[in-house]
Each structure stands twice: as C-alpha cells, then as structure tokens.
C-alpha cells in the first residue's frame, strides 16, 4: 500500500451517524427573497418540519420546482430559524450568493415561486461548553453561524428534541470579505449581542487585514487557560490558515485550550450520501492514514485537526 492512501479496511469503516433518515422533503414557495449585499440574497420559505428539527451547522438542498435547468439541487446552510406568533419554528432563512446557474435563477424568483427543499442534512456543530466561541468566517461563510451563536449564548434552542443551549460565556464574530459591499447580515450578528470585528481586503470596512491574522492577534490577547472554540467557514485556503492559527495557539495535547471546527463547503450533488461527489480527505487511525468522508453525511462539520488540507 502506498503511503497516505486509504486501505481496504479503512474503506470498510466508512459510516456516518447523520444519514438522511429523518430528512423531510417538502414543496413550498418563496416568501421573501431580498438583496442583503452585493449579489447576496436572503431567502425565506415556510418549512415547518425542517425548522423544527434543524440544528446549527446543518443545511438543506433546494431546487426550483417544475424545471430541469438546473437538474440537481443546491446545498445551502440554514442561516436562521423564524418562529410564528406561538413560538413554533415555522420558517427557515437561507442566505446565498448569486454566482451559478441555480443561484442566478433563484435570485430572479418572484414571491410565490414553487421550490422543493429537503433536509435538515449533515451533522451540525457540537454544543460542548467553552469559555469563548469565536466564529471566524470569510466570503459567504457567515451563513451557518448566526444560529450557532444564538444557541451558544442561550437566546435560542434548536433541534427535536431540543439541544442544550447557553454553553459559552462569550461569543464573537470575525468576518472578512474582499470589500464592504460583500459583507452581508452584519446587523443580525450585532443585534444578537455578539462582538463583531470586520476586515476587508481593500480596507473599505473595518481593518485591512485577513481573517486568520485577525484571529491570531485575538487569541494572543486572551487569558491563558481560557477554553476557546473556533468555528470557521469560508474559502478553503482561509479555513486552512485558521486551522493553523488554532493549532499554533493551542499549547496542550492532553486537554486542548483552543479547538477548531470547520464547516466544509465542498460542492454537493445529492446531499444524502449517494453520489460521493463531495468527499474530503479525513485523517484516521494515525497521522499518515486517511479516508474519504462525505461532506454531506459525515460532515459538513469536521475537527480541523482531522482534515488533510
């Protein structure tokens, strides 16, 4: 067997605890489809069966009904869960960037347009307690973080049965984009009570710096021994650098003080683990062994230390 290649025995261990057994497929319509940033839209759909079950970090697959162009759906992280007058989770909000065939068609969809959505899918973030949660995101990577932060501070609960919340004393967001116009949803995070630090490549908003560098400086400021969880999502090169920053900041192997969870944005076709188009290399059984894991069922959330970048 060549080094760094998965063995037959490793392949036989391919398994996920988050197969789409509880997935709901529903037919619904567009209720809101608003421009919230440059080429960035916020879509609201009535999806009560999904809204009741979703946990932070999970996603849905969505496609326009009655059309074969595009044929396959698009994976979108659940940005927010909206409750009705009785406090029942009823709607889900999805924030997306108008970029490809699917999202261009979606951005042009009028209110009442028929869509099909299935989910919730994936494993979601864990809710282990920590002293501080830092969400380090870039591009459109803020989309899975609003619910995570709200659960952490205890203002919302998610899942069926409901998961434990209020598991972090402090929550903050470090959010980067190429320019100010691409930053979307900043007021949502500020209204939720999180400390927000913005950075742009051109300096048009916040500091002119990259997210990993801002994170490194922030971690250096924190008291020694504080248990910090970093959650990151965005361009892969940014997430890799965030993972390196967290590894350098963590001084303990036995009881890590800085951990990093990565929300992978690998392109998906089915979202339910059938097509194997969204695989990522994940370490197992030693530092030089890896196996392909499907982002849609074994992920999209992985421990940064387990990823072969």
């Amino acid at each position: 067997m060549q080094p760094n290649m998965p063995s037959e025995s490793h392949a036989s261990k391919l398994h996920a605890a988050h197969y789409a057994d509880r997935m709901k497929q529903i037919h619904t319509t567009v209720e809101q489809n608003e421009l919230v940033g440059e080429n960035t839209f916020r879509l609201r759909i009535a999806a009560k069966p999904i809204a009741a079950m979703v946990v932070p970090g999970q996603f849905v697959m969505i496609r326009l009904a009655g059309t074969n162009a595009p044929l396959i759906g698009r994976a979108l992280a659940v940005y927010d869960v909206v409750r009705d007058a009785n406090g029942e989770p009823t709607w889900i909000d999805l924030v997306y960037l108008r970029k490809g065939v699917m999202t261009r068609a979606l951005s042009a969809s009028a209110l009442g347009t028929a869509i099909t959505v299935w989910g919730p899918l994936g494993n979601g973030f864990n809710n282990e307690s920590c002293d501080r949660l830092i969400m380090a995101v870039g591009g459109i990577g803020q989309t899975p973080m609003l619910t995570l932060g709200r659960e952490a501070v205890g203002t919302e609960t998610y899942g069926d049965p409901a998961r434990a919340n209020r598991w972090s004393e402090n929550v903050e967001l470090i959010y980067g984009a190429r320019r100010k116009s691409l930053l979307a949803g900043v007021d949502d995070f500020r209204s939720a009570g999180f400390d927000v630090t913005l950075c742009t490549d051109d300096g048009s908003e916040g500091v002119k710096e990259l997210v990993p560098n801002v994170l490194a400086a922030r971690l250096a400021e924190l008291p020694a021994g504080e248990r910090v969880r970093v959650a990151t999502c965005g361009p892969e090169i940014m997430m890799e650098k965030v993972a390196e920053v967290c590894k350098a900041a963590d001084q303990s192997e036995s009881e890590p003080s800085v951990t990093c969870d990565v929300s992978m944005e690998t392109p998906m076709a089915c979202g339910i683990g059938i097509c194997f188009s969204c695989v990522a290399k994940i370490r197992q059984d030693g530092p030089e062994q890896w196996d392909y894991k499907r982002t849609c069922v074994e992920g999209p959330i992985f421990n940064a230390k387990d990823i072969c970048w």
Side-chain angles (χ1 to χ4, degrees):
M1 184 182 70
Q2 295 180 348
N4 298 328
M5 293 296 291
S7 67
E8 183 175 348
S9 62
H10 292 153
S12 67
K13 296 179 181 178
L14 191 62
H15 177 72
H18 303 278
Y19 288 113
D21 298 345
R22 300 181 67 206
M23 178 196 79
K24 305 293 184 181
Q25 179 170 316
I26 62 174
H27 304 288
T28 184
T29 58
V30 173
E31 296 202 11
Q32 291 182 17
N33 198 16
E34 301 174 342
L35 187 69
V36 293
E38 182 181 338
N39 287 321
T40 307
F41 292 78
R42 181 170 182 161
L43 174 74
R44 177 167 296 177
I45 57 176
K48 195 166 187 175
I50 297 174
M53 293 191 299
V54 70
V55 300
Q58 287 189 302
F59 66 96
V60 297
M61 297 292 292
I62 186 171
R63 68 184 301 272
L64 296 173
T67 179
N68 292 326
L71 178 62
I72 63 174
R74 175 69 186 270
L76 295 176
V78 174
Y79 178 72
D80 200 4
V81 174
V82 182
R83 299 177 182 271
D84 64 16
N86 297 319
E88 296 294 325
T90 302
W91 298 271
I92 58 173
D93 284 359
L94 310 168
V95 172
Y96 64 95
L97 183 67
R98 179 171 56 192
K99 187 176 182 181
V101 174
M102 170 64 183
T103 50
R104 286 199 300 270
L106 190 59
S107 69
S109 298
L111 302 187
T113 298
I115 58 174
T116 300
V117 59
W118 56 102
L121 300 167
N123 58 355
F125 289 100
N126 70 64
N127 58 345
E128 296 176 358
S129 64
C130 61
D131 297 316
R132 184 177 304 272
L133 170 66
I134 301 178
M135 302 174 290
V137 306
I140 198 70
Q142 85 281 18
T143 53
M145 300 298 175
L146 184 63
T147 55
L148 178 66
R150 285 177 172 166
E151 181 186 74
V153 298
T155 56
E156 285 287 351
T157 57
Y158 301 96
D160 181 20
R163 303 202 320 174
N165 65 355
R166 195 169 181 79
W167 43 262
S168 181
E169 293 296 322
N170 304 279
V171 175
E172 55 189 273
L173 174 76
I174 301 173
Y175 180 12
R178 294 194 303 276
R179 54 187 175 273
K180 177 181 179 179
S181 60
L182 290 168
L183 296 167
V186 174
D187 288 343
D188 294 332
F189 288 89
R190 286 178 171 151
S191 296
F194 313 144
D195 292 331
V196 175
T197 300
L198 302 177
C199 45
T200 49
D201 293 354
D202 63 0
S204 54
E205 182 72 11
V207 296
K208 186 178 181 180
E209 190 54 273
L210 300 176
V211 168
N213 296 338
V214 175
L215 174 64
R218 183 71 184 112
L219 291 175
E221 297 172 350
L222 299 179
E226 186 170 81
R227 297 171 302 144
V228 179
R229 279 183 57 194
V230 174
T232 186
C233 185
E236 186 166 315
I237 185 61
M238 184 215 76
M239 294 192 295
E240 181 179 0
K241 296 300 182 182
V242 165
E244 292 175 358
V245 166
C246 293
K247 183 177 180 180
D250 183 25
Q251 303 299 315
S252 172
E253 289 294 331
S254 59
E255 190 174 347
S257 58
V258 180
T259 60
C260 181
D261 292 329
V262 176
S263 177
M264 300 289 283
E265 293 191 322
T266 312
M268 300 176 191
C270 73
I272 58 175
I274 296 173
C275 67
F276 280 77
S277 67
C278 64
V279 293
K281 290 182 178 180
I282 304 299
R283 293 187 178 90
Q284 62 177 42
D285 297 338
E288 295 186 356
Q289 302 293 341
W290 58 267
D291 198 356
Y292 284 118
K293 299 293 185 180
R294 293 159 293 180
T295 303
C296 64
V297 288
E298 280 93 3
I301 313 302
F302 295 99
N303 189 313
K305 292 182 178 179
D306 295 335
I307 300 173
C308 299
W309 297 99

